[in-house]
Amino acid sequence: MKRYLIYFSYLGTQFRGLQKQYRKGSPIYETETIQSILELGLKNLKKSPLNEPVIYPASRTDQGVHALCTAAHVDLEFENDVTPIYHIISNLNTFVTKRNYDIRILSARVVPEHFSARYSVVKKKYTYRFAVLKPDVLPDIPNKKHLLPIPIIEKNRCLFSFNPVFDHKLVKDTVNLFVGLKDFRSFMSRVSSKPDVITERLIESLELKQGQPLIQSNESDYYNFWEISCSGKSFLYKQVRRIVGILLAVGQGRVSPDEVQHMLNNPIDNPWIERAVVVPGYGLYLTSVEYSEEDLLGDVVHTQQKSNFGI
């Protein structure tokens, strides 16, 4: 039996999130979560494993969220213990492609038996894409939402705001309030259901920068594209989406930086500001997960390292 770390990407639109879901102890949506699909693909390898594959993901993204590069570990036992890694990659990609799942296996490697895709993470990076209507587009028409179509290629890939007000300089100043070790209880969903959860998290970086459309078009010229990028070891449930929602509200003048500071200073007394909206999952991308080389190698012998293969 060996432990494998598998790197993969996906578009989250067609799935009910990454993690397997259960109802009264029984799995549901078995072909609608990324974890279930990967486990099914591993069961159907041409050289099938002798054990029941169970995927342990690095991050449990919500419905609609995308991943450019994430990871999961799985323990697999093969007959004679000699199955090349490229066999796993090729077979899994064939499995998801034939069934039109928007999942792609990027690479895989053998890791030590104590390695955890989730708990060995050193850093995760997220990016949220959004676009704001330019102020000079049809200024005399108050409601432009259904008059100006969003670029079709951006459907479920980017959040579009039809409010042209966006003070990007104020947002760039406000992001600094979030950097460092803070109590983010106000930015966590379902706090009441987990009263004992540790809500302190370290945000290493948070940045607003100019973005760009996936493909330039006449429709994309109506908007200014932006990206908010965030990095840290771990995040609370919906923390990144709530931070982005607050920052958008700051840029639109609905929330002040002082109110944001108060939320961080008084996380229990001030749980959320109703003038801000939690942004939808489809604009969020998990762009990378990082591990230390020491954890990846550990006690894995050099002969195993030679079997690593990536595409």
Side-chain angles (χ1 to χ4, degrees):
M1 177 106 50
K2 292 179 182 177
R3 179 160 295 185
Y4 295 84
L5 180 65
I6 300 174
Y7 290 94
F8 57 99
S9 60
Y10 56 85
L11 297 175
T13 307
Q14 70 180 131
F15 306 111
R16 293 179 179 266
L18 186 143
Q19 191 175 18
K20 263 196 307 195
Q21 299 180 36
Y22 295 86
R23 181 180 295 141
K24 297 181 178 179
S26 299
I28 56 176
Y29 310 130
E30 293 190 74
T31 59
E32 297 180 59
T33 68
I34 296 158
Q35 182 180 9
S36 296
I37 291 167
L38 290 178
E39 290 177 354
L40 186 60
L42 289 167
K43 291 178 188 176
N44 286 273
L45 295 175
K46 288 184 179 179
K47 298 178 182 178
S48 58
L50 303 177
N51 64 311
E52 184 80 8
V54 179
I55 287 283
Y56 295 91
S59 182
R60 297 169 289 181
T61 56
D62 297 330
Q63 183 171 357
V65 177
H66 316 292
L68 303 183
C69 182
T70 186
H73 78 255
V74 60
D75 294 332
L76 299 172
E77 182 179 3
F78 296 100
E79 189 173 354
N80 300 325
D81 203 27
V82 284
T83 295
I85 285 183
Y86 68 79
H87 169 84
I88 299 173
I89 298 171
S90 177
N91 276 235
L92 274 179
N93 275 328
T94 300
F95 178 85
V96 296
T97 301
K98 283 186 174 181
R99 290 158 180 80
N100 292 318
Y101 292 129
D102 292 332
I103 305 171
R104 294 297 179 268
I105 309 305
L106 304 175
S107 64
R109 63 184 295 166
V110 175
V111 291
E113 62 181 15
H114 59 267
F115 180 90
S116 168
R118 181 180 177 188
Y119 296 109
S120 298
V121 168
V122 172
K123 182 185 296 185
K124 298 176 187 174
K125 295 181 180 179
Y126 287 91
T127 293
Y128 198 95
R129 297 182 66 235
F130 64 98
V132 179
L133 188 68
K134 293 178 180 178
D136 57 351
V137 176
L138 301 179
D140 297 328
I141 298 178
N143 189 354
K144 309 178 184 72
K145 183 173 182 179
H146 299 293
L147 183 62
L148 297 172
I150 68 170
I152 192 65
I153 195 69
E154 297 282 3
K155 182 183 178 183
N156 295 323
R157 304 286 186 272
C158 178
L159 174 66
F160 283 79
S161 172
F162 295 91
N163 179 356
V165 176
F166 184 67
D167 188 341
H168 64 276
K169 293 182 179 179
L170 184 60
V171 174
K172 285 184 177 181
D173 290 338
T174 306
V175 296
N176 296 321
L177 299 177
F178 293 94
V179 178
L181 183 63
K182 314 277 183 178
D183 188 336
F184 286 98
R185 180 170 291 271
S186 299
F187 295 87
M188 175 186 176
S189 185
R190 301 179 186 172
V191 174
S192 59
S193 64
K194 296 182 178 180
D196 299 326
V197 68
I198 297 174
T199 53
E200 283 191 343
R201 291 293 186 274
L202 174 63
I203 290 185
E204 297 181 19
S205 65
L206 185 65
E207 180 185 9
L208 171 72
K209 58 184 178 181
Q210 195 84 40
Q212 59 184 5
L214 295 177
I215 297 178
Q216 197 73 38
S217 66
N218 291 334
E219 290 77 21
S220 66
D221 290 340
Y222 297 143
Y223 305 92
N224 289 316
F225 285 78
W226 298 94
E227 295 179 356
I228 292 178
S229 298
C230 182
S231 68
K233 183 175 181 178
S234 64
F235 298 89
L236 299 167
Y237 181 56
K238 293 188 179 179
Q239 179 185 345
V240 176
R241 288 166 55 192
R242 284 177 166 247
I243 289 174
V244 173
I246 284 289
L247 289 174
L248 283 178
V250 169
Q252 294 171 344
R254 292 182 284 115
V255 173
S256 71
D258 287 341
E259 289 176 296
V260 177
Q261 185 68 72
H262 185 75
M263 291 177 72
L264 293 166
N265 292 343
N266 304 277
I268 297 177
D269 296 333
N270 186 15
W272 186 248
I273 298 175
E274 295 302 326
R275 283 169 277 123
V277 178
V278 182
V279 293
Y282 58 74
L284 183 62
Y285 296 76
L286 174 56
T287 57
S288 68
V289 291
E290 298 177 13
Y291 302 98
S292 72
E293 196 63 23
E294 181 180 358
D295 287 338
L296 288 170
L297 295 177
D299 55 5
V300 179
V301 296
H302 293 290
T303 54
Q304 291 175 322
Q305 294 173 29
K306 292 179 181 179
S307 66
N308 293 339
F309 181 82
I311 55 175

